[in-house]
Amino acid sequence: MVINRRILTLDEFTIQQMRAFPHATGELASLLRDIGLAAKRVNVEVNKAGLVDILGDAGAVNVQGEDVKKLDVYANNQFMGVLKHGISCAGIGSEELDDFIAFDDPVSNNSKYVCLFDPLDGSGNIDVNVSIGTIFSVYRRVSPLGTPAVREDFLQAGIHQVAAGYIVYGSSTMLVYATRRGVNGFTLDPSIGEFSLSHPDIKCPDFGKIYSVNHGNFFQYEKSVQDYIQQCQKKNKDTGGPYTQRYIGSMVSDLHRNLIKGGIFMYPATIDKPKGKLRLLYECNPFAFILEVAGGKATNGKQRVLDIVPTELHQRSPLFIGSKGMMEELETYLKA
Ligand code: AHG
Ligand code: MN
Ligand code: MN
């Protein structure tokens, strides 16, 4: 009998990684398993979103004043529930929660990690069957073990992330996560219900041909950003231009594509949104961490995203992120 052991499952992979650290407790592996479990539950609902009465607005408005979709609430509850009942997470912050939650029970208070989430990203795309995602960010808490998680555990600069990742509910469902050791992608095999290692050691190409930005906002961007976008549209034998413009409107999907193929993604400040739209703690930071580990770069236009020290859970930031060479080209415009 031929036993095919070449494809590792998410659990097998994280446990194997853990063995490289003699003092590892297995808590991070357990946390990633919990996230994988919640992702599978959300995936089931996302797949049948067109069938059941789960589509559409939940009738409420989230803390940022945006309509909340029913699936956002469902996804938030799944991730929150699984992490609360797991053994690795002391508390969570989420786009769908006004404030962070310290789980504050004996097991959670002794857990090393806290998590931040965008439970469903790109939720405006649910009703039209376009790829959506989940984004997560993991920090080692700074408060003492044995006590409830506190605000400072969540307000850490992105450079302190222990792990970050996303799930993309696309034509396949994939979970991609990064630790300092590398970025690895797992595709959900629906026949066995397991995330299986399909994209080991992902590296973002130094150059790509894709730029992703909301062109509808063009006249709201500052001049340097406008100049760069116009450069992307010009014939240029040095850069391989003109680039191809691709913008799905789910940053998980846009950034997943650009991570694999190479490219640049921008959500700059606009006149209407001078701080940008995307949220630093659960949108910008996790992707900045993933892209940097994969060899790319991420800035807010002025400084490295991972160096920003946050002051608020839901704070926004402009975001420029992608292939190293393309980011360096952009930076020559932003400095000018
Ligand atoms: P969310 O659904 O979590 O609110 O995030 C949507 C975000 C992001 O995924 C996407 O890139 C961006 O909003 C699109 O915004 P515009 O429609 O303003 O371009
Ligand atoms: Mn989002
Ligand atoms: Mn969201």
Side-chain angles (χ1 to χ4, degrees):
M1 190 171 72
V2 179
I3 301 175
N4 183 350
R5 297 298 302 161
R6 279 176 304 164
I7 300 183
L8 293 176
T9 65
L10 176 64
D11 286 359
E12 289 171 330
F13 179 83
T14 51
I15 289 165
Q16 204 180 74
Q17 294 281 299
M18 190 186 92
R19 288 201 176 138
F21 298 94
H23 302 294
T25 58
E27 268 189 70
L28 186 61
S30 154
L31 183 72
L32 289 160
R33 183 177 57 229
D34 291 345
I35 290 172
L37 173 63
K40 284 190 260 185
R41 292 188 177 152
V42 172
N43 181 59
V44 170
E45 292 307 311
V46 166
N47 279 173
K48 62 185 187 197
L51 289 173
V52 289
D53 182 30
I54 203 158
L55 274 172
D57 299 344
V61 177
N62 72 15
V63 281
Q64 286 105 43
E66 294 150 348
D67 284 345
V68 176
K69 304 285 175 181
K70 280 185 185 174
L71 266 177
D72 289 340
V73 179
Y74 179 85
N76 186 57
N77 292 344
Q78 285 305 324
F79 282 100
M80 195 164 71
V82 164
L83 291 173
K84 180 172 168 53
H85 296 111
I87 57 156
S88 320
C89 186
I92 61 159
S94 161
E95 182 187 354
E96 304 304 334
L97 299 170
D98 293 7
D99 204 355
F100 75 92
I101 293 184
F103 293 140
D104 197 9
D105 58 67
V107 174
S108 303
N109 288 350
N110 278 302
S111 301
K112 274 204 266 202
Y113 299 109
V114 296
C115 277
L116 288 140
F117 280 97
D118 180 350
L120 260 203
D121 173 70
S123 49
N125 279 326
I126 298 170
D127 292 1
V128 288
N129 204 5
V130 169
S131 294
I132 51 180
T134 296
I135 311 169
F136 62 90
S137 163
V138 181
Y139 291 89
R140 192 169 286 114
R141 56 192 293 195
V142 291
S143 55
L145 279 181
T147 62
V150 299
R151 188 167 306 278
E152 288 66 41
D153 295 329
F154 298 90
L155 297 183
Q156 300 189 53
I159 190 69
H160 298 301
Q161 287 170 104
V162 172
Y166 60 86
I167 297 107
V168 56
Y169 310 97
S171 42
S172 296
T173 295
M174 272 190 80
L175 186 154
V176 176
Y177 84 88
T179 63
R180 252 163 248 287
R181 287 165 62 89
V183 185
N184 290 279
F186 302 80
T187 302
L188 182 64
D189 179 345
S191 61
I192 54 168
E194 290 278 6
F195 283 106
S196 304
L197 182 63
S198 52
H199 295 60
D201 200 19
I202 298 172
K203 297 277 184 247
C204 182
D206 279 348
F207 289 93
K209 292 211 67 172
I210 296 170
Y211 76 104
S212 310
V213 71
N214 185 336
H215 262 281
N217 291 335
F218 184 84
F219 293 106
Q220 296 225 14
Y221 299 142
E222 45 178 69
K223 170 97 171 43
S224 57
V225 175
Q226 291 178 342
D227 289 347
Y228 174 71
I229 292 172
Q230 285 181 330
Q231 178 60 36
C232 292
Q233 300 168 335
K234 285 183 189 149
K235 201 160 183 62
N236 184 330
K237 67 174 174 9
D238 296 329
T239 66
Y243 297 153
T244 296
Q245 201 274 349
R246 292 281 181 267
Y247 191 73
I248 296 170
S250 299
M251 75 179 297
V252 170
S253 314
D254 278 311
L255 281 169
H256 177 68
R257 181 202 52 233
N258 290 9
L259 171 67
I260 307 267
K261 291 193 166 182
I264 192 162
F265 173 98
M266 298 169 270
Y267 206 109
T270 63
I271 294 167
D272 291 345
K273 296 188 175 98
K275 292 181 175 161
K277 175 183 184 186
L278 300 172
R279 276 56 60 104
L280 176 64
L281 293 190
Y282 41 82
E283 293 183 316
C284 303
N285 268 339
F287 273 110
F289 185 82
I290 296 164
L291 262 292
E292 282 204 11
V293 174
K297 290 186 85 173
T299 77
N300 67 357
K302 296 191 170 66
Q303 72 175 126
R304 183 185 180 204
V305 169
L306 295 181
D307 287 337
I308 302 171
V309 179
T311 53
E312 284 168 47
L313 205 54
H314 298 292
Q315 98 186 45
R316 297 180 194 259
S317 170
L319 179 64
F320 301 87
I321 185 166
S323 292
K324 187 164 172 279
M326 297 172 86
M327 284 293 296
E328 284 166 359
E329 187 194 347
L330 164 76
E331 278 159 11
T332 63
Y333 284 81
L334 298 185
K335 281 193 193 111

